[in-house]
Amino acid sequence: AAAAAPAAAASGATASGPVLDQALREQLTCVVCTELMFECIIQCDHGHVLCEPCYTRLRKAAAGAAAHHTRDPACPTCRASMPRAVRCRALEQMRDRLRIPCDAAECDHVALGGRAWLIHRDNCLKATVPCRIGACTEQLVRSRVSLHAAVCPHRAVPCPMSVLSPRRRPCDAKVEQKNLRRHLEVAHAAPIAGPFDRQSIQWRINL
């Protein structure tokens, strides 16, 4: 039972501690990306903070801008030089004791600490996420991503010519599902009349 306690706390099932309110959210918001800082928190000599991924990007940008001399990244708040990544462990410890609600409107999960919140955020079935097919701009809840991908008009599908009509020259083209009718009509002179389904394609191609 004792061994199970840490796992339960990490999942948020037994979360206890102060809840992330607006004042704490402002303290834990990175001034560069404006996202909550759930990675390491980096501070300048004057105590201004930003998230580690943003500090890494600033360091790379500073290195790229310095062609012939060394240049350190500057604090985005006070412009003080930040030659090394100094962690703000006090703020990290405060963050890791917070109860943090899920951002998804329909989800009532509360995680204990930033790491548990990140794990939940990346797996929450009620969170709104983009379609995983690059050309599609559809936003949908994660639980419906797979269902949408199966019928997404932007998904690449193989031309059915070689399968449906082996007597003809095979076609290796892959086209977006929404453009399949046009591909059959233009590339194969197989206009589809009426409902656009596999049976109608079979009938037109085998004429």
Side-chain angles (χ1 to χ4, degrees), residues 58-74:
L58 290 177
R59 173 171 285 282
K60 290 180 179 179
H68 303 292
H69 61 280
T70 302
R71 181 177 176 182
D72 295 322

Side-chain angles (χ1 to χ4, degrees), residues 51-79:
C51 67
E52 186 177 41
C54 283
Y55 174 79
T56 300
R57 284 192 290 270
L58 290 177
R59 173 171 285 282
K60 290 180 179 179
H68 303 292
H69 61 280
T70 302
R71 181 177 176 182
D72 295 322
C75 171
T77 301
C78 67
R79 310 308 299 171

Side-chain angles (χ1 to χ4, degrees), residues 112-206:
L112 180 59
R115 185 177 298 276
W117 187 90
L118 282 174
I119 293 172
H120 172 75
R121 180 200 65 181
D122 293 341
N123 295 278
C124 178
L125 295 179
K126 298 180 180 179
T128 300
V129 296
C131 172
R132 55 180 175 234
I133 298 172
C136 183
T137 59
E138 187 80 15
Q139 297 282 328
L140 58 157
V141 293
R142 182 176 278 114
S143 62
R144 297 190 59 84
V145 167
S146 296
L147 293 175
H148 170 77
V151 296
C152 178
H154 295 279
R155 74 187 185 107
V157 294
C159 174
M161 178 62 76
S162 59
V163 176
L164 296 178
S165 184
R167 299 190 305 273
R168 298 192 180 188
R169 185 176 62 184
C171 178
D172 297 327
K174 284 192 174 183
V175 297
E176 289 187 350
Q177 181 167 278
K178 66 176 183 176
N179 297 327
L180 183 56
R181 179 196 292 264
R182 179 65 176 166
H183 169 77
L184 289 169
E185 292 176 343
V186 173
H188 303 294
I192 308 300
F196 182 61
D197 55 27
R198 190 176 183 87
Q199 185 175 2
S200 64
I201 296 173
Q202 175 82 59
W203 181 78
R204 298 301 301 180
I205 290 177
N206 286 338

